Amino acid sequence: MQPSKEKLLEMLRTMLLTRCFEDKLMELCQIPGKVPGMMILCTGQEAVASGVCAALEQDDVIIPNHRSHGHLLAKGADPGEVMAECFGKITGCNKGKSGTLHIAVPEVNALCTTTVVGGGIPIAAGTAFAQKYTSRKSITVCFFGDGAADEGSFHEALNLASLWDLPVIFVCENNLYAGAQRHEEHTRIRDIADRAAAYAMPGEVVDGNDAGAVYAATVRARERALAGLGPTLIECKTYRCRGHGESDHQVYQPREEIEAWKEKCPLPRLRGEMLAQGLMTHEELDRLEEEIRKTVEEAVRFAEESPYPDVAEAFTDVYV
Amino acid sequence: MQQLTMGQAVNQALREEMLRDFNVFIAGEGVGVSIHDNPLMPTAGLLKDFGPERVKDTPVSEAAIAGLAVGSSVMGLRPVVEIMFNPFVTIASDMIVNHAAKLRYLSGGKSTFPLVVRMKSGAGFGAGCQHSHNLEAWMAHCPGLKVVMPGTPADAKGLLKSAIRDDNPVVFIEDMMLYFIPGPVPEEEYTIPIGKADVKRVGSDVSIVSWSKMVGVALKGAQILAENGVDAEVVDLRTLLPLDRETLLTSVRKTGRLVVLHEATRTGGFAGEICAIVAEDALNSLKAPFRRVTGPDIPVPFSPPLERFYIPDENNLVEAVLGIM
């Protein structure tokens, strides 16, 4: 199913927001003490989260991974609360206990985010099991990278999800690098989607820089899941334009490769398509970009002005 | 009062909680159709009575089993999943240690994970060290988990019912050798609170602190000690995390002597934690050095005399107690 004009706008908006949000984080994490800890960005991969989440409903669950800003914002998380969490502030989504890496936003059914590579995949089978057990008309999407497909958890969970026809979509964001290892250095197979065959589920390769194609594949997989036909593995081919984290100098990524992929950046692509097709005017685009710039500025202001948690907060939420 | 083995008591707890709450389901390798088909096993008969929708036999996939628990619990279900033997928890440990235990904290208290992971433990059935390895100290090292190790059928039933109703992830370790030993279990509905130790024998000369199968050994040892004029108190911790420090310290302050008894290996074993707590908070009450009676620092051996040697018995305990009297 091709996306409607509204869906295209929604995806463009999410992609612009994610890029603007992360560009700001990229800048802020260079200032000592401002945004503590690791900083992992999805620059260049925004079409995956935007395309997938545009095909989901509020009740659908997502289980993001360590590269999650795009997933969370696309599912509707509040940019101010996500930013405050990155700062480690009490007003953050998780009171500063997560930081950027494992933000949970149950309000939008992003129930948990995990940074253990492949860790979200068995959990997604579990949330999907609950959806089936309670006859909910909703599904789960699990986001993970190409590196996660080498974990045992991937294989255990796909096998179980297929065996029990669980309503889950496994979205592999193949950004060509698992840590410092290029695709062909960590697996012999060319397409991760081929692994779906081992578990008797459909495996689809999608241009992960084409938000519309990601959306269409997700709509198909979601319909299949809701019809009780079980899981789908969607491999979105994309590229990690930044390092694994911001402290990674990308010594192993050829400059020309990065430049070539920047040419294929999903953002100008969708923007260009929408302008060319007359789905929006330059003025409308300018207004949208201005609105997003203000949203991110407001998010940063909120994070900066918010207090850090009191030390006593360290002892809460360990147990119910 | 009915006489049940621990396997039957666990079975009753599962059955009652499944009848009480549709959100409770069980999953694991052979929880329905089992290679250990025996009416005394904890999940015997549940498939027949509750059907395959709620009694889920899984592939041999410990990570997926534990992940199923994490994911379904955050959605509001109350999974009780089984890891067949304690050593196999290594394969499921990412889900338990990094996810079940930490995701609530990481969410700032927004998400909850009301799950139970049951596992069999203990040496004594000749299966060797990859089936017999008590790893409770690993689990107790993970804030966010509760770790329960019952020593009697009645405690197992009451504690498991509490574990299932608890909104936190609970690791529930059942010693396999207790599955076949009957004991009294109340007929009426009851639960036993997690985090409360139980003084199984009141005494005045020494506190023997133990849990799980070793509680029975402690009681046997106390009987022998009584014949030798030593009045031992037996404290069954029942829960390692959260630990009932108050009952522990009250007992040691009263008796002035401490011997900790567990089957798990010595180095890094939970006895060290108990002794440290007593040294920190009740050192002045001690009339003698504390002692640990534990499995030796070796993998559980197979050969019957070696396996018997590995498991601490009442003679080891009596010797240790008499050594500090």
Side-chain angles (χ1 to χ4, degrees), chain A residues 93-95 107 111 114 119 127 129 133 136 156 160 314 316-317 319-320, chain B residues 22 54 61 63-64 71 75 95 99 105-108 110-111 144-145 168:
Chain A
C93 304
N94 310 125
K95 305 187 202 167
E107 297 88 335
L111 295 180
T114 172
T127 56
F129 173 79
Y133 187 87
R136 284 181 225 196
E156 290 196 19
L160 187 75
T316 67
D317 306 322
Y319 294 99
V320 176
Chain B
F22 177 75
R54 297 184 69 193
S61 302
M75 298 287 285
M95 282 298 126
H99 294 93
Y105 192 74
L106 283 171
S107 78
K110 283 183 179 173
S111 299
L145 296 180
N168 299 288

PDB file of all heavy atoms in Angstrom, chain A residues 93-95 107 111 114 119 127 129 133 136 156 160 314 316-317 319-320, chain B residues 22 54 61 63-64 71 75 95 99 105-108 110-111 144-145 168:
ATOM      1  N   CYS A  93      12.035  11.208  30.438  1.00  0.00           N
ATOM      2  CA  CYS A  93      11.058  10.105  30.347  1.00  0.00           C
ATOM      3  C   CYS A  93      11.227   9.134  31.500  1.00  0.00           C
ATOM      4  O   CYS A  93      10.262   8.556  31.978  1.00  0.00           O
ATOM      5  CB  CYS A  93      11.258   9.309  29.064  1.00  0.00           C
ATOM      6  SG  CYS A  93      11.197  10.270  27.583  1.00  0.00           S
ATOM      7  N   ASN A  94      12.437   8.915  31.934  1.00  0.00           N
ATOM      8  CA  ASN A  94      12.713   7.890  32.942  1.00  0.00           C
ATOM      9  C   ASN A  94      13.464   8.463  34.147  1.00  0.00           C
ATOM     10  O   ASN A  94      14.288   7.777  34.760  1.00  0.00           O
ATOM     11  CB  ASN A  94      13.475   6.725  32.293  1.00  0.00           C
ATOM     12  CG  ASN A  94      12.793   6.241  31.018  1.00  0.00           C
ATOM     13  OD1 ASN A  94      13.426   6.189  29.968  1.00  0.00           O
ATOM     14  ND2 ASN A  94      11.522   5.940  31.093  1.00  0.00           N
ATOM     15  N   LYS A  95      13.196   9.721  34.432  1.00  0.00           N
ATOM     16  CA  LYS A  95      13.760  10.404  35.609  1.00  0.00           C
ATOM     17  C   LYS A  95      15.288  10.436  35.594  1.00  0.00           C
ATOM     18  O   LYS A  95      15.922  10.459  36.642  1.00  0.00           O
ATOM     19  CB  LYS A  95      13.291   9.739  36.907  1.00  0.00           C
ATOM     20  CG  LYS A  95      11.801   9.606  37.082  1.00  0.00           C
ATOM     21  CD  LYS A  95      11.536   9.098  38.495  1.00  0.00           C
ATOM     22  CE  LYS A  95      10.198   8.427  38.648  1.00  0.00           C
ATOM     23  NZ  LYS A  95      10.115   7.709  39.909  1.00  0.00           N
ATOM     24  N   GLU A 107       3.882   5.512  27.557  1.00  0.00           N
ATOM     25  CA  GLU A 107       2.734   6.314  27.107  1.00  0.00           C
ATOM     26  C   GLU A 107       2.464   6.115  25.615  1.00  0.00           C
ATOM     27  O   GLU A 107       1.334   6.260  25.156  1.00  0.00           O
ATOM     28  CB  GLU A 107       2.981   7.808  27.363  1.00  0.00           C
ATOM     29  CG  GLU A 107       3.129   8.171  28.842  1.00  0.00           C
ATOM     30  CD  GLU A 107       4.576   8.056  29.350  1.00  0.00           C
ATOM     31  OE1 GLU A 107       5.365   7.281  28.768  1.00  0.00           O
ATOM     32  OE2 GLU A 107       4.895   8.747  30.337  1.00  0.00           O
ATOM     33  N   LEU A 111       7.604   0.183  25.241  1.00  0.00           N
ATOM     34  CA  LEU A 111       7.552  -0.328  26.620  1.00  0.00           C
ATOM     35  C   LEU A 111       8.915  -0.504  27.238  1.00  0.00           C
ATOM     36  O   LEU A 111       9.087  -0.353  28.430  1.00  0.00           O
ATOM     37  CB  LEU A 111       6.791  -1.646  26.659  1.00  0.00           C
ATOM     38  CG  LEU A 111       5.320  -1.531  26.279  1.00  0.00           C
ATOM     39  CD1 LEU A 111       4.656  -2.891  26.358  1.00  0.00           C
ATOM     40  CD2 LEU A 111       4.596  -0.537  27.165  1.00  0.00           C
ATOM     41  N   THR A 114      16.314  -1.656  24.857  1.00  0.00           N
ATOM     42  CA  THR A 114      17.473  -2.350  25.401  1.00  0.00           C
ATOM     43  C   THR A 114      18.703  -2.097  24.547  1.00  0.00           C
ATOM     44  O   THR A 114      18.626  -2.004  23.334  1.00  0.00           O
ATOM     45  CB  THR A 114      17.230  -3.866  25.540  1.00  0.00           C
ATOM     46  OG1 THR A 114      18.465  -4.496  25.901  1.00  0.00           O
ATOM     47  CG2 THR A 114      16.735  -4.474  24.246  1.00  0.00           C
ATOM     48  N   GLY A 119      18.895  -8.084  22.471  1.00  0.00           N
ATOM     49  CA  GLY A 119      18.127  -8.299  23.705  1.00  0.00           C
ATOM     50  C   GLY A 119      16.640  -8.037  23.551  1.00  0.00           C
ATOM     51  O   GLY A 119      15.819  -8.627  24.252  1.00  0.00           O
ATOM     52  N   THR A 127       5.950  -9.664  24.216  1.00  0.00           N
ATOM     53  CA  THR A 127       4.845  -8.686  24.145  1.00  0.00           C
ATOM     54  C   THR A 127       3.822  -9.145  23.107  1.00  0.00           C
ATOM     55  O   THR A 127       2.621  -9.004  23.314  1.00  0.00           O
ATOM     56  CB  THR A 127       5.364  -7.271  23.811  1.00  0.00           C
ATOM     57  OG1 THR A 127       6.101  -7.310  22.597  1.00  0.00           O
ATOM     58  CG2 THR A 127       6.240  -6.708  24.916  1.00  0.00           C
ATOM     59  N   PHE A 129       3.218 -12.218  22.315  1.00  0.00           N
ATOM     60  CA  PHE A 129       2.463 -13.328  22.918  1.00  0.00           C
ATOM     61  C   PHE A 129       1.316 -12.771  23.759  1.00  0.00           C
ATOM     62  O   PHE A 129       0.185 -13.261  23.690  1.00  0.00           O
ATOM     63  CB  PHE A 129       3.375 -14.209  23.782  1.00  0.00           C
ATOM     64  CG  PHE A 129       2.622 -15.246  24.554  1.00  0.00           C
ATOM     65  CD1 PHE A 129       2.193 -16.412  23.942  1.00  0.00           C
ATOM     66  CD2 PHE A 129       2.276 -15.032  25.892  1.00  0.00           C
ATOM     67  CE1 PHE A 129       1.451 -17.363  24.639  1.00  0.00           C
ATOM     68  CE2 PHE A 129       1.536 -15.973  26.600  1.00  0.00           C
ATOM     69  CZ  PHE A 129       1.121 -17.146  25.972  1.00  0.00           C
ATOM     70  N   TYR A 133      -2.505 -13.566  23.431  1.00  0.00           N
ATOM     71  CA  TYR A 133      -3.141 -14.230  24.586  1.00  0.00           C
ATOM     72  C   TYR A 133      -4.396 -13.473  25.011  1.00  0.00           C
ATOM     73  O   TYR A 133      -5.375 -14.069  25.428  1.00  0.00           O
ATOM     74  CB  TYR A 133      -2.118 -14.280  25.724  1.00  0.00           C
ATOM     75  CG  TYR A 133      -2.513 -15.075  26.960  1.00  0.00           C
ATOM     76  CD1 TYR A 133      -2.277 -16.440  27.032  1.00  0.00           C
ATOM     77  CD2 TYR A 133      -3.055 -14.435  28.081  1.00  0.00           C
ATOM     78  CE1 TYR A 133      -2.597 -17.161  28.172  1.00  0.00           C
ATOM     79  CE2 TYR A 133      -3.378 -15.145  29.231  1.00  0.00           C
ATOM     80  CZ  TYR A 133      -3.154 -16.516  29.269  1.00  0.00           C
ATOM     81  OH  TYR A 133      -3.457 -17.227  30.406  1.00  0.00           O
ATOM     82  N   ARG A 136      -5.782  -8.946  21.708  1.00  0.00           N
ATOM     83  CA  ARG A 136      -5.733  -7.520  21.355  1.00  0.00           C
ATOM     84  C   ARG A 136      -5.550  -7.364  19.857  1.00  0.00           C
ATOM     85  O   ARG A 136      -4.901  -8.186  19.223  1.00  0.00           O
ATOM     86  CB  ARG A 136      -4.562  -6.834  22.063  1.00  0.00           C
ATOM     87  CG  ARG A 136      -4.849  -6.597  23.526  1.00  0.00           C
ATOM     88  CD  ARG A 136      -3.694  -5.894  24.188  1.00  0.00           C
ATOM     89  NE  ARG A 136      -3.423  -6.559  25.448  1.00  0.00           N
ATOM     90  CZ  ARG A 136      -2.694  -6.036  26.436  1.00  0.00           C
ATOM     91  NH1 ARG A 136      -2.152  -4.853  26.300  1.00  0.00           N
ATOM     92  NH2 ARG A 136      -2.509  -6.691  27.554  1.00  0.00           N
ATOM     93  N   GLU A 156      16.517 -17.796  18.521  1.00  0.00           N
ATOM     94  CA  GLU A 156      15.551 -18.380  19.457  1.00  0.00           C
ATOM     95  C   GLU A 156      14.191 -17.697  19.329  1.00  0.00           C
ATOM     96  O   GLU A 156      13.144 -18.337  19.315  1.00  0.00           O
ATOM     97  CB  GLU A 156      16.057 -18.246  20.901  1.00  0.00           C
ATOM     98  CG  GLU A 156      17.259 -19.130  21.207  1.00  0.00           C
ATOM     99  CD  GLU A 156      17.516 -19.283  22.700  1.00  0.00           C
ATOM    100  OE1 GLU A 156      16.597 -19.024  23.504  1.00  0.00           O
ATOM    101  OE2 GLU A 156      18.641 -19.672  23.065  1.00  0.00           O
ATOM    102  N   LEU A 160      10.544 -19.137  17.910  1.00  0.00           N
ATOM    103  CA  LEU A 160       9.368 -19.193  18.790  1.00  0.00           C
ATOM    104  C   LEU A 160       8.204 -18.393  18.195  1.00  0.00           C
ATOM    105  O   LEU A 160       7.056 -18.847  18.176  1.00  0.00           O
ATOM    106  CB  LEU A 160       9.724 -18.645  20.178  1.00  0.00           C
ATOM    107  CG  LEU A 160       8.634 -18.811  21.231  1.00  0.00           C
ATOM    108  CD1 LEU A 160       8.569 -20.257  21.707  1.00  0.00           C
ATOM    109  CD2 LEU A 160       8.876 -17.896  22.426  1.00  0.00           C
ATOM    110  N   ALA A 314      17.966   7.755  43.424  1.00  0.00           N
ATOM    111  CA  ALA A 314      18.732   6.570  43.005  1.00  0.00           C
ATOM    112  C   ALA A 314      18.143   5.284  43.582  1.00  0.00           C
ATOM    113  O   ALA A 314      18.299   4.215  43.009  1.00  0.00           O
ATOM    114  CB  ALA A 314      20.192   6.705  43.435  1.00  0.00           C
ATOM    115  N   THR A 316      14.858   4.715  44.290  1.00  0.00           N
ATOM    116  CA  THR A 316      13.468   4.408  43.937  1.00  0.00           C
ATOM    117  C   THR A 316      13.427   3.598  42.640  1.00  0.00           C
ATOM    118  O   THR A 316      14.387   3.587  41.868  1.00  0.00           O
ATOM    119  CB  THR A 316      12.629   5.694  43.755  1.00  0.00           C
ATOM    120  OG1 THR A 316      13.119   6.389  42.592  1.00  0.00           O
ATOM    121  CG2 THR A 316      12.733   6.603  44.955  1.00  0.00           C
ATOM    122  N   ASP A 317      12.335   2.921  42.438  1.00  0.00           N
ATOM    123  CA  ASP A 317      12.043   2.181  41.195  1.00  0.00           C
ATOM    124  C   ASP A 317      12.861   0.901  41.006  1.00  0.00           C
ATOM    125  O   ASP A 317      12.794   0.284  39.945  1.00  0.00           O
ATOM    126  CB  ASP A 317      12.228   3.067  39.944  1.00  0.00           C
ATOM    127  CG  ASP A 317      11.421   4.350  40.025  1.00  0.00           C
ATOM    128  OD1 ASP A 317      10.286   4.295  40.539  1.00  0.00           O
ATOM    129  OD2 ASP A 317      11.923   5.399  39.596  1.00  0.00           O
ATOM    130  N   TYR A 319      12.358  -1.699  42.984  1.00  0.00           N
ATOM    131  CA  TYR A 319      11.234  -2.627  43.164  1.00  0.00           C
ATOM    132  C   TYR A 319       9.938  -1.838  43.152  1.00  0.00           C
ATOM    133  O   TYR A 319       9.925  -0.642  43.410  1.00  0.00           O
ATOM    134  CB  TYR A 319      11.350  -3.370  44.504  1.00  0.00           C
ATOM    135  CG  TYR A 319      12.543  -4.292  44.565  1.00  0.00           C
ATOM    136  CD1 TYR A 319      13.722  -3.893  45.193  1.00  0.00           C
ATOM    137  CD2 TYR A 319      12.502  -5.560  43.987  1.00  0.00           C
ATOM    138  CE1 TYR A 319      14.816  -4.738  45.239  1.00  0.00           C
ATOM    139  CE2 TYR A 319      13.600  -6.406  44.031  1.00  0.00           C
ATOM    140  CZ  TYR A 319      14.755  -5.993  44.651  1.00  0.00           C
ATOM    141  OH  TYR A 319      15.843  -6.818  44.684  1.00  0.00           O
ATOM    142  N   VAL A 320       8.856  -2.532  42.853  1.00  0.00           N
ATOM    143  CA  VAL A 320       7.532  -1.916  42.919  1.00  0.00           C
ATOM    144  C   VAL A 320       7.212  -1.628  44.378  1.00  0.00           C
ATOM    145  O   VAL A 320       7.437  -2.481  45.225  1.00  0.00           O
ATOM    146  CB  VAL A 320       6.464  -2.858  42.328  1.00  0.00           C
ATOM    147  CG1 VAL A 320       5.070  -2.254  42.483  1.00  0.00           C
ATOM    148  CG2 VAL A 320       6.766  -3.130  40.865  1.00  0.00           C
TER     149      VAL A 320
ATOM    150  N   PHE B  22      -6.582 -15.235  35.164  1.00  0.00           N
ATOM    151  CA  PHE B  22      -6.347 -15.674  33.779  1.00  0.00           C
ATOM    152  C   PHE B  22      -5.012 -15.168  33.244  1.00  0.00           C
ATOM    153  O   PHE B  22      -4.446 -15.742  32.310  1.00  0.00           O
ATOM    154  CB  PHE B  22      -7.495 -15.190  32.878  1.00  0.00           C
ATOM    155  CG  PHE B  22      -7.295 -15.535  31.426  1.00  0.00           C
ATOM    156  CD1 PHE B  22      -7.475 -16.847  30.978  1.00  0.00           C
ATOM    157  CD2 PHE B  22      -6.894 -14.571  30.504  1.00  0.00           C
ATOM    158  CE1 PHE B  22      -7.270 -17.181  29.635  1.00  0.00           C
ATOM    159  CE2 PHE B  22      -6.684 -14.893  29.161  1.00  0.00           C
ATOM    160  CZ  PHE B  22      -6.876 -16.204  28.726  1.00  0.00           C
ATOM    161  N   ARG B  54      -2.588 -21.932  27.824  1.00  0.00           N
ATOM    162  CA  ARG B  54      -2.039 -21.406  29.088  1.00  0.00           C
ATOM    163  C   ARG B  54      -0.885 -22.253  29.628  1.00  0.00           C
ATOM    164  O   ARG B  54      -0.226 -21.827  30.573  1.00  0.00           O
ATOM    165  CB  ARG B  54      -3.155 -21.317  30.137  1.00  0.00           C
ATOM    166  CG  ARG B  54      -4.254 -20.333  29.737  1.00  0.00           C
ATOM    167  CD  ARG B  54      -5.288 -20.194  30.827  1.00  0.00           C
ATOM    168  NE  ARG B  54      -4.761 -19.521  32.000  1.00  0.00           N
ATOM    169  CZ  ARG B  54      -5.362 -19.495  33.179  1.00  0.00           C
ATOM    170  NH1 ARG B  54      -6.513 -20.132  33.331  1.00  0.00           N
ATOM    171  NH2 ARG B  54      -4.828 -18.850  34.201  1.00  0.00           N
ATOM    172  N   SER B  61      14.913 -23.319  24.228  1.00  0.00           N
ATOM    173  CA  SER B  61      15.369 -21.953  23.927  1.00  0.00           C
ATOM    174  C   SER B  61      15.266 -21.121  25.194  1.00  0.00           C
ATOM    175  O   SER B  61      14.309 -20.367  25.386  1.00  0.00           O
ATOM    176  CB  SER B  61      14.488 -21.325  22.841  1.00  0.00           C
ATOM    177  OG  SER B  61      14.481 -22.072  21.660  1.00  0.00           O
ATOM    178  N   ALA B  63      16.778 -18.484  26.309  1.00  0.00           N
ATOM    179  CA  ALA B  63      16.709 -17.026  26.165  1.00  0.00           C
ATOM    180  C   ALA B  63      15.309 -16.608  25.725  1.00  0.00           C
ATOM    181  O   ALA B  63      14.765 -15.613  26.195  1.00  0.00           O
ATOM    182  CB  ALA B  63      17.758 -16.537  25.168  1.00  0.00           C
ATOM    183  N   ALA B  64      14.733 -17.372  24.819  1.00  0.00           N
ATOM    184  CA  ALA B  64      13.381 -17.039  24.354  1.00  0.00           C
ATOM    185  C   ALA B  64      12.354 -17.252  25.463  1.00  0.00           C
ATOM    186  O   ALA B  64      11.389 -16.489  25.586  1.00  0.00           O
ATOM    187  CB  ALA B  64      13.024 -17.869  23.125  1.00  0.00           C
ATOM    188  N   GLY B  71       8.708  -9.915  28.188  1.00  0.00           N
ATOM    189  CA  GLY B  71       7.803  -9.199  27.278  1.00  0.00           C
ATOM    190  C   GLY B  71       6.343  -9.344  27.657  1.00  0.00           C
ATOM    191  O   GLY B  71       5.574  -8.375  27.611  1.00  0.00           O
ATOM    192  N   MET B  75       3.366  -6.398  29.573  1.00  0.00           N
ATOM    193  CA  MET B  75       2.024  -6.174  29.013  1.00  0.00           C
ATOM    194  C   MET B  75       0.926  -6.476  30.029  1.00  0.00           C
ATOM    195  O   MET B  75      -0.257  -6.384  29.714  1.00  0.00           O
ATOM    196  CB  MET B  75       1.823  -7.073  27.795  1.00  0.00           C
ATOM    197  CG  MET B  75       2.773  -6.805  26.652  1.00  0.00           C
ATOM    198  SD  MET B  75       2.397  -5.273  25.772  1.00  0.00           S
ATOM    199  CE  MET B  75       0.954  -5.786  24.831  1.00  0.00           C
ATOM    200  N   MET B  95      18.380 -12.165  29.750  1.00  0.00           N
ATOM    201  CA  MET B  95      16.985 -11.731  29.931  1.00  0.00           C
ATOM    202  C   MET B  95      16.669 -11.476  31.410  1.00  0.00           C
ATOM    203  O   MET B  95      15.918 -10.567  31.744  1.00  0.00           O
ATOM    204  CB  MET B  95      16.034 -12.800  29.387  1.00  0.00           C
ATOM    205  CG  MET B  95      15.921 -12.774  27.888  1.00  0.00           C
ATOM    206  SD  MET B  95      15.258 -11.192  27.316  1.00  0.00           S
ATOM    207  CE  MET B  95      16.496 -10.717  26.155  1.00  0.00           C
ATOM    208  N   HIS B  99      17.605  -7.588  31.810  1.00  0.00           N
ATOM    209  CA  HIS B  99      16.289  -7.100  31.406  1.00  0.00           C
ATOM    210  C   HIS B  99      15.259  -7.176  32.531  1.00  0.00           C
ATOM    211  O   HIS B  99      14.796  -6.149  33.005  1.00  0.00           O
ATOM    212  CB  HIS B  99      15.852  -7.828  30.133  1.00  0.00           C
ATOM    213  CG  HIS B  99      16.738  -7.476  28.974  1.00  0.00           C
ATOM    214  ND1 HIS B  99      17.850  -8.231  28.630  1.00  0.00           N
ATOM    215  CD2 HIS B  99      16.739  -6.416  28.140  1.00  0.00           C
ATOM    216  CE1 HIS B  99      18.470  -7.643  27.604  1.00  0.00           C
ATOM    217  NE2 HIS B  99      17.820  -6.545  27.286  1.00  0.00           N
ATOM    218  N   TYR B 105      13.783  -0.195  36.545  1.00  0.00           N
ATOM    219  CA  TYR B 105      14.609   0.931  37.001  1.00  0.00           C
ATOM    220  C   TYR B 105      14.900   1.866  35.830  1.00  0.00           C
ATOM    221  O   TYR B 105      14.772   3.082  35.934  1.00  0.00           O
ATOM    222  CB  TYR B 105      15.911   0.380  37.581  1.00  0.00           C
ATOM    223  CG  TYR B 105      16.733   1.400  38.346  1.00  0.00           C
ATOM    224  CD1 TYR B 105      16.321   1.818  39.605  1.00  0.00           C
ATOM    225  CD2 TYR B 105      17.897   1.922  37.818  1.00  0.00           C
ATOM    226  CE1 TYR B 105      17.068   2.736  40.324  1.00  0.00           C
ATOM    227  CE2 TYR B 105      18.657   2.845  38.528  1.00  0.00           C
ATOM    228  CZ  TYR B 105      18.234   3.252  39.782  1.00  0.00           C
ATOM    229  OH  TYR B 105      18.972   4.166  40.492  1.00  0.00           O
ATOM    230  N   LEU B 106      15.277   1.270  34.701  1.00  0.00           N
ATOM    231  CA  LEU B 106      15.585   2.075  33.519  1.00  0.00           C
ATOM    232  C   LEU B 106      14.381   2.887  33.050  1.00  0.00           C
ATOM    233  O   LEU B 106      14.544   3.930  32.429  1.00  0.00           O
ATOM    234  CB  LEU B 106      16.068   1.174  32.372  1.00  0.00           C
ATOM    235  CG  LEU B 106      17.513   0.685  32.479  1.00  0.00           C
ATOM    236  CD1 LEU B 106      17.797  -0.364  31.408  1.00  0.00           C
ATOM    237  CD2 LEU B 106      18.488   1.860  32.348  1.00  0.00           C
ATOM    238  N   SER B 107      13.187   2.376  33.321  1.00  0.00           N
ATOM    239  CA  SER B 107      11.990   3.102  32.881  1.00  0.00           C
ATOM    240  C   SER B 107      11.601   4.187  33.878  1.00  0.00           C
ATOM    241  O   SER B 107      10.609   4.879  33.681  1.00  0.00           O
ATOM    242  CB  SER B 107      10.819   2.130  32.684  1.00  0.00           C
ATOM    243  OG  SER B 107      10.260   1.772  33.939  1.00  0.00           O
ATOM    244  N   GLY B 108      12.353   4.323  34.950  1.00  0.00           N
ATOM    245  CA  GLY B 108      11.987   5.286  35.985  1.00  0.00           C
ATOM    246  C   GLY B 108      10.704   4.874  36.695  1.00  0.00           C
ATOM    247  O   GLY B 108       9.949   5.717  37.174  1.00  0.00           O
ATOM    248  N   LYS B 110       8.143   3.299  35.353  1.00  0.00           N
ATOM    249  CA  LYS B 110       6.924   3.321  34.526  1.00  0.00           C
ATOM    250  C   LYS B 110       6.481   1.923  34.096  1.00  0.00           C
ATOM    251  O   LYS B 110       5.312   1.689  33.876  1.00  0.00           O
ATOM    252  CB  LYS B 110       7.167   4.170  33.279  1.00  0.00           C
ATOM    253  CG  LYS B 110       7.134   5.671  33.542  1.00  0.00           C
ATOM    254  CD  LYS B 110       7.316   6.425  32.241  1.00  0.00           C
ATOM    255  CE  LYS B 110       7.259   7.928  32.458  1.00  0.00           C
ATOM    256  NZ  LYS B 110       7.606   8.650  31.219  1.00  0.00           N
ATOM    257  N   SER B 111       7.440   1.023  33.913  1.00  0.00           N
ATOM    258  CA  SER B 111       7.096  -0.330  33.464  1.00  0.00           C
ATOM    259  C   SER B 111       7.318  -1.313  34.602  1.00  0.00           C
ATOM    260  O   SER B 111       8.241  -1.147  35.401  1.00  0.00           O
ATOM    261  CB  SER B 111       7.978  -0.740  32.271  1.00  0.00           C
ATOM    262  OG  SER B 111       7.786   0.131  31.184  1.00  0.00           O
ATOM    263  N   GLY B 144      16.831  -5.644  41.874  1.00  0.00           N
ATOM    264  CA  GLY B 144      15.693  -5.654  40.952  1.00  0.00           C
ATOM    265  C   GLY B 144      15.037  -7.019  40.903  1.00  0.00           C
ATOM    266  O   GLY B 144      13.865  -7.139  40.584  1.00  0.00           O
ATOM    267  N   LEU B 145      15.825  -8.056  41.254  1.00  0.00           N
ATOM    268  CA  LEU B 145      15.247  -9.398  41.340  1.00  0.00           C
ATOM    269  C   LEU B 145      14.884  -9.705  42.776  1.00  0.00           C
ATOM    270  O   LEU B 145      15.472  -9.148  43.706  1.00  0.00           O
ATOM    271  CB  LEU B 145      16.259 -10.461  40.885  1.00  0.00           C
ATOM    272  CG  LEU B 145      16.744 -10.457  39.447  1.00  0.00           C
ATOM    273  CD1 LEU B 145      17.728 -11.605  39.240  1.00  0.00           C
ATOM    274  CD2 LEU B 145      15.584 -10.549  38.468  1.00  0.00           C
ATOM    275  N   ASN B 168       7.115  -7.733  41.052  1.00  0.00           N
ATOM    276  CA  ASN B 168       8.531  -7.712  40.673  1.00  0.00           C
ATOM    277  C   ASN B 168       8.942  -9.065  40.091  1.00  0.00           C
ATOM    278  O   ASN B 168       8.297 -10.078  40.361  1.00  0.00           O
ATOM    279  CB  ASN B 168       9.388  -7.422  41.915  1.00  0.00           C
ATOM    280  CG  ASN B 168       9.061  -6.081  42.515  1.00  0.00           C
ATOM    281  OD1 ASN B 168       9.397  -5.052  41.954  1.00  0.00           O
ATOM    282  ND2 ASN B 168       8.358  -6.085  43.652  1.00  0.00           N
TER     283      ASN B 168
END
